[in-house]
């Protein structure tokens, strides 16, 4: 499911850089675990891992770990205390970087901004990342505590955008997980950099996967 490719382009767009390759969209309750309110970081990590499994050489047999397995990995690494396993404590970009390195030998570069107003200063770093690797980025914050995936950048003559894939979707009996419906409902969309909180810091985890380690191209 390449959900982000169905998002309509921004009007007047001049340049776009996107995630390339297949992945699975992981979201709240998608595997039967009710993680509403605390699991968005895990779900974004699972989406990134699914991209690595689909696109990194030698990783196709690796399963995407469950939330419980991710917690256990962080405990074994001694990043978290034993009581973290089985808890409802959230994770952010730093923990995402640790897990990717542990499981796939893919380090995560943490890019920090003190507020949403500074995201424009790191825009080119993300653009270059997508151009070189095509790998999704994890984005988390403090006051804006809703973790999310960044799947592209674009710019017009006057504005810049991130392509956001939001893990907060919850499937019910009355709704479908058809990709087009998810995009129409706004679970994947272009977000103007002005739309991010000016009162929240942001940490972005850019997986440092080498181009020669990829199946694509």
């Amino acid at each position: 499911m390449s959900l982000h490719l169905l998002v309509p382009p921004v009007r007047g767009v001049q340049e776009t850089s996107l995630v390339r390759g297949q992945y699975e969209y992981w979201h709240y309750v998608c595997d039967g675990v009710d993680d509403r309110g605390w699991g968005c970081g895990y779900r974004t990590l699972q989406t990134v891992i699914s991209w690595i499994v689909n696109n990194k050489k030698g990783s196709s047999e690796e399963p995407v770990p469950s939330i419980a397995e991710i917690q256990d990995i962080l405990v074994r690494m001694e990043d978290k205390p034993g009581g973290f396993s089985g808890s409802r404590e959230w994770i952010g970009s730093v923990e995402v970087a640790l897990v990717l390195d542990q499981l796939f030998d893919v380090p995560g570069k943490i890019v920090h901004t003190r507020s949403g107003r500074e995201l424009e200063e790191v825009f080119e770093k993300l653009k270059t990342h997508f151009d070189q690797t095509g790998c999704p980025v994890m984005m988390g914050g403090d006051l804006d505590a809703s973790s999310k995936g960044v799947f592209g950048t674009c710019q017009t003559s006057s504005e810049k955008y991130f392509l956001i894939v939001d893990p907060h979707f919850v499937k019910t009996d009355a709704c479908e997980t058809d990709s087009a419906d998810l995009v129409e409902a706004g679970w994947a969309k272009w977000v103007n950099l002005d739309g991010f909180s000016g009162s929240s810091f942001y940490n972005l985890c850019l997986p440092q996967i080498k181009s020669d380690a990829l199946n694509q191209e």
Side-chain angles (χ1 to χ4, degrees):
M1 175 189 289
S2 295
L3 187 63
H4 69 294
L5 295 180
L6 298 179
V7 179
V10 172
R11 180 176 297 180
V13 65
Q14 296 181 341
E15 194 170 13
T16 302
S17 298
L18 296 173
V19 164
R20 301 183 300 277
Q22 296 296 312
Y23 60 91
E24 299 167 355
Y25 170 52
W26 288 71
H27 55 82
Y28 276 169
V29 203
C30 64
D31 56 0
V33 175
D34 191 348
D35 56 317
R36 286 174 286 189
W38 57 273
C40 52
Y42 298 94
R43 299 309 188 183
T44 299
L45 171 57
Q46 289 170 320
T47 298
V48 174
I49 288 175
S50 77
W51 184 93
I52 291 174
V53 168
N54 277 281
N55 297 281
K56 183 176 182 287
K57 294 176 182 176
S59 301
S60 61
E61 301 301 318
E62 296 292 331
V64 176
S66 66
I67 289 177
E69 289 168 335
I70 292 168
Q71 292 179 332
D72 288 345
I73 289 167
L74 290 166
V75 170
R76 289 197 300 270
M77 295 177 68
E78 300 184 352
D79 178 71
K80 302 294 183 187
F84 181 73
S85 291
S87 72
R88 294 190 171 190
E89 293 187 40
W90 55 268
I91 62 171
S93 292
V94 172
E95 290 85 358
V96 166
L98 290 172
V99 172
L100 293 179
D101 197 17
Q102 178 74 11
L103 291 181
F104 299 100
D105 195 26
V106 174
K109 179 179 181 179
I110 301 299
V111 176
H112 176 77
T113 67
R114 291 173 295 180
S115 79
R117 289 187 292 271
E118 294 183 357
L119 287 172
E120 186 166 353
E121 298 175 15
V122 302
F123 180 88
E124 287 299 323
K125 289 183 180 180
L126 268 71
K127 178 187 180 304
T128 299
H129 171 81
F130 292 128
D131 288 342
Q132 293 181 346
T133 73
C135 181
V137 168
M138 156 77 175
M139 183 177 190
D142 60 342
L143 294 180
D144 179 2
S146 298
S147 296
K148 51 192 74 77
V150 185
F151 279 67
T153 63
C154 81
Q155 53 189 322
T156 67
S157 59
S158 59
E159 297 177 310
K160 295 178 179 177
Y161 298 77
F162 286 162
L163 179 49
I164 299 298
V165 173
D166 188 336
H168 296 84
F169 168 71
V170 179
K171 185 182 185 304
T172 66
D173 292 339
C175 69
E176 299 293 334
T177 52
D178 176 79
S179 297
D181 291 338
L182 289 167
V183 170
E184 185 175 357
W187 298 110
K189 63 182 179 180
W190 288 106
V191 177
N192 192 304
L193 295 193
D194 290 341
F196 294 96
S197 173
S199 303
S200 176
F201 75 69
Y202 288 97
N203 283 329
L204 299 104
C205 175
L206 283 61
Q208 300 297 286
I209 189 165
K210 297 179 180 178
S211 58
D212 59 4
L214 298 175
N215 295 321
Q216 57 195 25
E217 302 179 343

